[in-house]
Structures are given as C-alpha cells and as structure tokens.
Amino acid sequence: QKEVEQNSGPLSVPEGAIASLNCTYSDRGSQSFFWYRQYSGKSPELIMFIYSNGDKEDGRFTAQLNKASQYVSLLIRDSQPSDSATYLCAVSRRGSTLGRLYFGRGTQLTVWP
Amino acid sequence: NAGVTQTPKFRILKIGQSMTLQCTQDMNHNYMYWYRQDPGMGLKLIYYSVGAGITDKGEVPNGYNVSRSTTEDFPLRLELAAPSQTSVYFCASSYGDNEQFFGPGTRLTVL
C-alpha cells in the first residue's frame, strides 16, 4: 500500500467551476498535510497546509482534513485557467524525523476557458 | 534573497561518469533535502540534513552521497551514473518542520 495516494487524473473542469482534488494516506500517525502546486517544468510551491480536522480556507482554496477516514482534499473555487497545474499532496508522519514529507504522485488539473 | 539555488539547470552524463549537483540557500534554514522526480511521479526523498554535519538517508539513497559542511550548502554527489538516475532533482530547505522551499531543479539525463 502506497503511503500517499492521489487520483492521477487528469481532471478537467471549465473556468469558474469548483475543482476537487483528493488524497488518502495510509499512516494513522500522520499529523501534517500539505498541498503543493507544480506548473509544468517548474518546482513545487506550497499553497495550503492543514493540521486539524475540518476545513481551512485561504482565498479560493479550501483544504479539508478527516483523520478518521485518512483523507485530505483541496477544493478550488472559481477555477481559472492559471490554476492548470499538477497538485501534489504531501504528508508528514508523527514520530518520523521532523520535516520529512511523503508525496503522492500528483493530480493534473486542466481548467479550460 | 535568492531563496534556494541549484546548478546546473541541465546536464547530460555518460554511464559511469560522476558529478555533483550544487544547492545553496540563503534563508538560514537548518533543514535541507534532496528529492528526485521521475515523469508522472511524485517526489522521492534521496537524502536530508537537519543541520551542518548531520545527514541521513531518505527513501531512495542508493547511488548518491551528500555532505553538509555549512548551513547554506548541501551538494549531492553521483559517483557512477546509471540510466536509472535520469530524473529531475530538486533541492529544498525549511526551518524545522515548516514550509519547504524548493529550488528550480536540475534536469539530468544519463545516456
């Protein structure tokens, strides 16, 4: 079983729609959860992080965490063509060396005008 | 601040050659990391360091070596290049377990 799993996509949504990206993780001891955006040919950049169960909102982005279901998601409201990128879910495990992240394979999102 | 810088941006190696990928950060971060990313895949941790003089293996360390003599620099050494090491290599840094900042990457091809 992989540590962190994401639907590889591609996910395609029209401009203005809500894009929903999902991630599951295998280790119940996981404590920190990150969403990175990676444009083609570029390096990953952090867009959201969440530590506690529930929702966390930042502008058009909402991260949702459900530790009981071992599930974390990212919602992008009012999707824009500039949101077209690969979104990487990353998880930090309790007890592991601080800072170590385990990445999923990423979900490719395309927002068409 | 330049953030995290990596050199070279691109490199083609022949099988069996050696090279060093350079990484420097100017944010005074104590933690530094090397990842590789194969096409369509996520990032795999090669080595990491929690401070000068301290390094440890990640998920895929075979074929690589690192050193950390200063806070700023974290070079990655490939001793005997193999085609399986064709990948994009990212260096990252963080202050403790906070946000990791990534460099622009080095695209390595081994032929």
Side-chain angles (χ1 to χ4, degrees), chain A:
Chain A
Q1 185 181 10
K2 293 182 180 176
E3 298 270 0
V4 180
E5 296 210 47
Q6 297 180 248
N7 292 334
S8 59
L11 176 65
S12 182
V13 301
E15 184 174 357
I18 296 175
S20 178
L21 304 161
N22 305 317
C23 174
T24 58
Y25 57 94
S26 60
D27 187 344
R28 283 198 173 274
S30 300
Q31 58 179 4
S32 305
F33 306 86
F34 304 83
W35 283 101
Y36 283 82
R37 178 176 61 200
Q38 186 176 26
Y39 291 114
S40 181
K42 301 295 185 183
S43 56
E45 56 177 334
L46 183 71
I47 52 172
M48 290 286 291
F49 63 87
I50 186 166
Y51 302 140
S52 304
N53 274 331
D55 295 358
K56 179 181 179 182
E57 189 174 316
D58 183 1
R60 296 186 296 111
F61 298 96
T62 299
Q64 299 175 316
L65 175 61
N66 184 326
K67 290 188 176 181
S69 300
Q70 296 176 240
Y71 174 88
V72 58
S73 65
L74 179 70
L75 299 178
I76 306 175
R77 291 182 301 281
D78 188 24
S79 296
Q80 301 296 311
S82 59
D83 294 326
S84 298
T86 296
Y87 290 80
L88 301 167
C89 173
V91 173
S92 173
R93 298 195 315 208
R94 182 175 60 200
S96 68
T97 301
L98 287 178
R100 283 192 64 167
L101 294 179
Y102 296 84
F103 284 83
R105 294 175 63 172
T107 298
Q108 185 179 345
L109 171 67
T110 299
V111 181
W112 45 276

